[in-house]
Amino acid sequence: MKKMILCLAVNLALAAQGQVPPAPAPEPNGSLVDAERARIQSLRNQAQIQFAQEEVRCYQKFAVNDCLQKARVVRRDLVADLRRQELSVNSAEAKRKGAEQLSRIEEKSSPQALHDEAERLARAQADQQERQRLFDEKAAAKAAEAREAPERVKENEERLLTSGQARADRAARAAAAPAEKSKYEAKQVEAAQREAQRQKRLAEQRNPPLKGSPNTANPPNPPNRP
């Protein structure tokens, strides 16, 4: 901090005498160029402050106009010198950037750079082709799905109808089961009765009853009573 104050005091003293400390030779470094521009702008601001202070002192003197004229000359020379330094810094910065641009162009034009660029372009093209392939596959899948949608709807409707009919059939069979069971049992009884009668007839044919048997002959008429 003390060094900065000392440098500022020296600059102000030189500004009051119409002199500006020489700018350091700019180096090809952006941060140094920015620092130099900041230094020049600071000196320009200090020159404005110095001129304002000189104007105040001039109005306290007898020869006001002569004092003001000298102060304006000092300020003009100081500002002009700072402008020359600024132009020098700008020129050095432009040369630095031009050299960097030329270096980048030369690097890009080298065989290795051309080879790397060719590989990069080939990879980018392959990636683009792969993305296009995936996009085409998805588009084809969506188109096929759209074409098959009506068929799937029809199949679903038929499946629903079939399942509904099957449920209705099962319900009808379940409802008719008691009646069917009764009919089956009645048929079984009827079949048993028919079988019993058939067996009876067969037995009678094998063992015919004796004549005069009360089972086969007509019973005698009772005698007439007077």
Side-chain angles (χ1 to χ4, degrees), residues 65-172:
N65 292 333
D66 184 57
C67 181
L68 291 175
Q69 184 63 27
K70 290 180 180 180
R72 291 191 182 98
V73 171
V74 170
R75 185 186 64 171
R76 184 184 65 243
D77 293 343
L78 177 59
V79 171
D81 192 30
L82 290 174
R83 180 57 181 164
R84 284 192 295 270
Q85 292 187 36
E86 188 175 37
L87 292 176
S88 177
V89 171
N90 292 340
S91 176
E93 176 67 359
K95 290 180 180 179
R96 182 184 70 84
K97 290 183 177 180
E100 290 180 352
Q101 181 67 19
L102 181 61
S103 177
R104 285 194 294 269
I105 293 174
E106 290 176 351
E107 289 177 357
K108 290 181 179 180
S109 302
S110 65
Q112 182 62 38
L114 294 176
H115 176 73
D116 295 342
E117 180 65 13
E119 287 187 347
R120 186 188 67 79
L121 291 176
R123 288 194 299 271
Q125 185 177 6
D127 293 341
Q128 177 61 28
Q129 291 176 351
E130 180 64 16
R131 288 194 293 270
Q132 186 64 38
R133 184 185 67 80
L134 294 175
F135 176 81
D136 293 341
E137 288 182 355
K138 290 182 179 179
K142 289 182 178 180
E145 184 178 355
R147 289 193 301 270
E148 296 173 357
E151 296 181 0
R152 286 199 301 272
V153 171
K154 184 178 179 180
E155 291 176 357
N156 290 333
E157 291 177 351
E158 292 177 352
R159 190 180 301 110
L160 290 173
L161 290 174
T162 303
S163 61
Q165 184 62 40
R167 287 194 298 270
D169 293 342
R170 288 195 298 270

Side-chain angles (χ1 to χ4, degrees), residues 145-225:
E145 184 178 355
R147 289 193 301 270
E148 296 173 357
E151 296 181 0
R152 286 199 301 272
V153 171
K154 184 178 179 180
E155 291 176 357
N156 290 333
E157 291 177 351
E158 292 177 352
R159 190 180 301 110
L160 290 173
L161 290 174
T162 303
S163 61
Q165 184 62 40
R167 287 194 298 270
D169 293 342
R170 288 195 298 270
R173 286 195 298 271
E180 292 293 332
K181 184 178 180 182
S182 298
K183 290 173 64 176
Y184 175 76
E185 291 175 350
K187 288 181 179 180
Q188 290 294 105
V189 170
E190 184 179 356
Q193 291 176 351
R194 287 197 301 268
E195 180 64 21
Q197 292 175 359
R198 188 179 71 82
Q199 293 294 332
K200 181 179 179 182
R201 286 194 300 270
L202 290 175
E204 290 177 350
Q205 291 174 1
R206 287 194 298 267
N207 300 309
L210 298 176
K211 292 181 179 181
S213 173
N215 294 328
T216 59
N218 293 324
N221 292 324
N224 294 325
R225 292 182 180 181

